[in-house]
Amino acid sequence: MLNDFVIRFANVNGTGSASANTMFAKSVFRMGIPVSPKNIFPSNIQGLPTWYEVRVSEKGYLGRREGIDIMVSVNPQSMVKDIANVKPGGYFMYDSSKDFHRDLTRDDITYLPIPMMQMCMDKFPDPRQRQLLKNMVYVGALAALLEIEVPVLQQIIVEQFKGKERLVTANYEAMQMGIDYAKAHFQCPLPGLRLERRDKVGDWILMDGNSACGLGAVYAGATVLSWYPITPSTSLADAFGKYAKKLRIDPETGKNNFAIVQAEDELAAIGMVIGANWNGARSFTATSGPGVSLMSEFLGLAYFAEIPTVLIDVQRGGPSTGMPTRTQQSDLISAAYASHGDTKHVLLFPSTPAECFEHTTIAFDLAEQLQTPILVMTDLDLGMNDNMSPPLKWDDKKAYARGKVLDAAALEKLERFGRYLDVDGDGITYRTIPGTHPTKGSFFTRGTSRDEYAAYTEEGPAYVRNMDRLVRKWETAKQYVPGPEFYQQEKKSQFGMLFFGTTTYAAVEAKDMLDAEGVTLDAIRIKSFPFNNAVKEFIDAHERIFVIEQNRDAQLKTLLVNELDIDPNQLVSVLNYDGFPITADVIKQKIFKNLVGRLNSPYVAAKVTPSDSQVGE
């Protein structure tokens, strides 16, 4: 298979393998070949099994694929299951410094034994260095076996250890040891598996979504971040701090033009964000599902008091502590209706790092235009993994959309300022920054019922008028949020696919797989909630819609039924919630099973068992 295979590295967490595995992925990418790396790691600090999976795809498919073509195993703890995960006809590379038990052999795969640790013990005197450089030995062996361009790897090593020449030299040596050993003991390149330079990545980049969100917040004008550490969103806060220190320093005084506060808990974090936004700053927080649960009360306050607020939710497996280092799309319901009472929040669904950047910048504008919380819904797969993405774009002439904010002159002309008075009929009222005018405008707010002039009242009619106005604002929001993306110009099928976020990669590939075998489906990608009319029109135009999502309870389907009054029988759920990204093979099989008897042409789906998409621990 030329430029088309899946390789998985099985390591021990905390042994320095991440840097070597990333070098492998980057080397393939720099040879112009599309790659999709996935870091599968435990939630402890170190010592447990960890995996790093790289899909290489000449056609540019970036979702996970069933089956492992090459397994590189240097962890005895997981070796039994690592061997079981290799596809028939595949390869199993392992550290043969210790004896290999005969019960672990399979007749249908090829073994590639390399005494990695022994080679490093013979070459390098430092015990810690031996452990780290063992990883470069297998990278070198792969370079020979797959025909990776060695100068590309050498350049990546130089970049990785810039300023540490001693480490550069040692890594060169370890890589060359692997190259020499592979050439001396195995057929190079491997029969049926190799890499060949292409020009299929263009100007695309490799970047993780958390970094893109952090940079997007800087460009969006965010000056305050209040947060509490939680996997998998912590690196987002780190990224914001890193970029702010480069781009938000006053050139004259050298002082920071930003503030980062690590709060004592999630409640305090969101409270500070609301307070900062009330006072005119652009402020945000980042969290995951447990944080959204804890922040719900304050999100209700921001919704009812109508205070701009931005929250980035990097979703993980739940409920409770759940699976902190596994991915899911399981916070949709809790985020959309966070807080008690009749509450609805705007959600944005990016699918690439470029969209993480773009949607984060959009979120700050939307928050001020709509005067409400905006939640950017990413997940661990997008947030913490390097993803291929179009380059980030920014227009230096862009002006921030601050919405309906009255200045002192406008307030002076008013006989009486009505903070919750709907002047324009769109449900969005005018606001002020505290202190704009010495006597007029808003200075304090509360979460209790009030009238159009912010005067406290428990009169039912006033409360109803306010809640009805919030519904009008919700309808207005449909005109502001990003619209869906369609994958065809006109209807081609009576069946459709609907997906969002990181399910996009696998869904698009599954659509192509079905189309190649004569099963055509129309497709739509949701980018936001509330759903606009185009979403309902797409659903109404098709007999059956397959809704692809990564949670148990079909949460996106629930939102579609609730908000668009869709017949639930018209929507068929294609679900995955094992903590790993859904694959095109699974989507294809589940869709076919539902279409049996409805197709005009015969179709045979390949069998995919649930265990194929899981990594055993």
Side-chain angles (χ1 to χ4, degrees):
M1 291 180 286
L2 178 63
N3 297 340
D4 185 12
F5 59 86
V6 175
I7 182 169
R8 181 184 290 167
F9 301 88
N11 304 98
V12 179
N13 198 29
T15 57
S17 58
S19 121
N21 298 340
T22 301
M23 287 183 191
F24 172 84
K26 286 182 177 179
S27 67
V28 179
F29 179 74
R30 293 192 184 183
M31 288 176 62
I33 306 166
V35 294
S36 179
K38 308 291 182 188
N39 192 15
I40 306 166
F41 58 100
S43 57
N44 74 328
I45 296 175
Q46 66 176 33
L48 289 180
T50 182
W51 294 268
Y52 187 84
E53 186 175 296
V54 182
R55 181 177 184 184
V56 179
S57 174
E58 172 108 349
K59 296 181 179 180
Y61 292 126
L62 303 178
R64 284 188 70 237
R65 196 205 72 188
E66 300 293 336
I68 305 301
D69 298 297
I70 309 174
M71 178 71 74
V72 180
S73 176
V74 291
N75 185 3
Q77 295 179 55
S78 64
M79 190 169 285
V80 172
K81 292 183 178 179
D82 290 335
I83 292 173
N85 278 325
V86 180
K87 290 175 60 178
Y91 296 87
F92 185 81
M93 179 188 294
Y94 66 98
D95 185 357
S96 60
S97 300
K98 294 184 179 180
D99 292 338
F100 187 77
H101 200 284
R102 67 179 64 184
D103 291 344
L104 298 178
T105 57
R106 279 176 55 186
D107 295 334
D108 59 347
I109 64 175
T110 301
Y111 289 83
L112 304 171
I114 302 175
M116 305 172 195
M117 194 66 203
Q118 187 61 54
M119 292 166 67
C120 289
M121 290 176 66
D122 295 340
K123 178 70 175 179
F124 306 105
D126 184 343
R128 173 60 178 165
Q129 196 176 54
R130 293 169 183 167
Q131 184 66 44
L132 297 173
L133 293 174
K134 176 180 68 173
N135 304 312
M136 286 307 301
V137 173
Y138 65 66
V139 171
L142 290 170
L145 292 165
L146 298 174
E147 294 195 323
I148 299 174
E149 296 175 5
V150 175
V152 172
L153 269 172
Q154 290 175 329
Q155 180 59 37
I156 293 172
I157 291 172
V158 170
E159 294 171 4
Q160 184 81 17
F161 301 105
K162 185 178 181 180
K164 301 176 181 178
E165 296 306 320
R166 185 174 61 85
L167 291 178
V168 170
T169 301
N171 277 271
Y172 273 0
E173 292 175 346
M175 180 182 70
Q176 193 61 50
M177 287 163 54
I179 293 172
D180 294 341
Y181 190 92
K183 288 184 175 180
H185 293 85
F186 312 122
Q187 181 178 345
C188 296
L190 290 173
L193 278 180
R194 68 185 183 90
L195 295 168
E196 186 176 280
R197 176 172 282 277
R198 291 289 188 265
D199 185 17
K200 292 183 175 292
V201 302
D203 62 350
W204 280 39
I205 59 175
L206 275 178
M207 189 177 193
D208 65 271
N210 281 355
S211 294
C213 285
L215 185 59
V218 173
Y219 273 81
T223 56
V224 179
L225 164 64
S226 178
W227 68 295
Y228 185 78
I230 182 172
T231 301
S233 70
T234 298
S235 61
L236 196 160
D238 292 339
F240 175 77
K242 178 182 73 174
Y243 292 125
K245 288 175 183 176
K246 292 181 179 180
L247 303 171
R248 280 287 172 77
I249 304 298
D250 189 295
E252 296 182 1
T253 65
K255 293 183 178 181
N256 293 343
N257 283 332
F258 63 95
I260 298 177
V261 182
Q262 182 175 324
E264 61 266 33
D265 54 36
E266 284 88 352
L267 262 176
I270 190 70
M272 294 178 193
V273 169
I274 293 170
N277 279 300
W278 172 256
N279 283 282
R282 283 194 156 189
S283 178
F284 77 107
T285 190
T287 191
S288 190
V292 173
S293 296
L294 292 168
M295 294 175 179
S296 290
E297 184 177 359
F298 264 142
L299 284 169
L301 169 64
Y303 172 82
F304 197 58
E306 299 182 67
I307 303 171
T309 303
V310 173
L311 186 156
I312 303 173
D313 178 10
V314 190
Q315 299 169 88
R316 72 188 206 188
S320 187
T321 305
M323 295 193 294
T325 57
R326 297 290 187 264
T327 195
Q328 276 192 18
Q329 297 172 316
S330 53
D331 296 347
L332 271 66
I333 298 295
S334 62
Y337 303 126
S339 190
H340 52 277
D342 295 321
T343 311
K344 292 183 184 181
H345 300 298
V346 175
L347 311 180
L348 303 180
F349 305 122
S351 65
T352 65
E355 285 193 345
C356 283
F357 176 84
E358 177 188 4
H359 285 201
T360 300
T361 63
I362 291 172
F364 284 91
D365 280 352
L366 287 176
E368 294 200 298
Q369 288 174 307
L370 298 172
Q371 300 172 35
T372 197
I374 308 294
L375 287 78
V376 182
M377 308 295 289
T378 74
D379 56 34
L380 183 146
D381 182 27
L382 177 55
M384 294 193 70
N385 286 320
D386 283 333
N387 286 267
M388 274 185 56
S389 172
L392 313 185
K393 295 181 179 180
W394 180 257
D395 183 359
D396 287 330
K397 297 179 181 179
K398 175 180 170 61
Y400 299 139
R402 305 307 299 262
K404 298 181 179 182
V405 183
L406 298 179
D407 58 17
L411 283 170
E412 189 63 36
K413 295 177 182 178
L414 293 178
E415 181 177 345
R416 186 183 181 189
F417 170 61
R419 172 65 184 95
Y420 299 107
L421 188 64
D422 187 1
V423 176
D424 303 317
D426 58 3
I428 305 173
T429 64
Y430 286 83
R431 67 187 180 105
T432 66
I433 307 301
T436 297
H437 189 281
T439 60
K440 295 181 179 181
S442 301
F443 291 85
F444 303 98
T445 191
R446 64 196 303 170
T448 317
S449 179
R450 69 278 155 153
D451 66 12
E452 287 80 356
Y453 296 94
Y456 169 73
T457 179
E458 294 186 20
E459 293 294 326
Y463 174 81
V464 169
R465 290 197 303 272
N466 191 63
M467 295 300 287
D468 289 347
R469 179 181 57 76
L470 290 174
V471 172
R472 289 199 299 276
K473 183 164 74 169
W474 184 252
E475 291 300 313
T476 300
K478 296 178 182 180
Q479 304 169 26
Y480 284 77
V481 298
E485 177 179 349
F486 298 94
Y487 290 76
Q488 60 286 314
Q489 292 183 341
E490 57 186 24
K491 180 181 175 182
K492 296 181 179 180
S493 173
Q494 60 188 359
F495 307 113
M497 303 169 65
L498 187 150
F499 45 86
F500 69 106
T502 50
T503 59
T504 300
Y505 304 115
V508 170
E509 182 178 3
K511 180 180 183 299
D512 289 349
M513 292 165 67
L514 288 164
D515 191 58
E517 299 191 37
V519 182
T520 300
L521 277 81
D522 296 334
I524 181 175
R525 177 163 71 94
I526 303 296
K527 292 187 177 183
S528 61
F529 173 75
F531 312 119
N532 63 22
N533 291 336
V535 177
K536 181 169 175 52
E537 290 170 0
F538 178 86
I539 295 173
D540 288 344
H542 293 84
E543 175 186 325
R544 185 157 295 196
I545 300 290
F546 296 95
V547 183
I548 303 166
E549 49 186 316
Q550 302 193 121
N551 57 70
R552 184 196 68 182
D553 294 340
Q555 296 186 27
L556 181 61
K557 175 184 175 181
T558 299
L559 289 177
L560 291 165
V561 171
N562 285 355
E563 300 294 326
L564 299 180
D565 197 25
I566 302 294
D567 179 358
N569 295 320
Q570 192 178 354
L571 305 179
V572 179
S573 293
V574 177
L575 305 176
N576 179 72
Y577 44 92
D578 62 4
F580 298 91
I582 194 170
T583 65
D585 310 80
V586 168
I587 295 173
K588 173 184 171 183
Q589 181 189 10
K590 290 184 176 181
I591 289 178
F592 169 72
K593 282 184 176 180
N594 188 271
L595 290 181
V596 170
R598 296 174 177 271
L599 300 173
N600 295 325
S601 58
Y603 171 74
V604 179
K607 183 179 180 182
V608 179
T609 59
S611 59
D612 289 339
S613 64
Q614 300 180 12
V615 175
E617 292 190 38

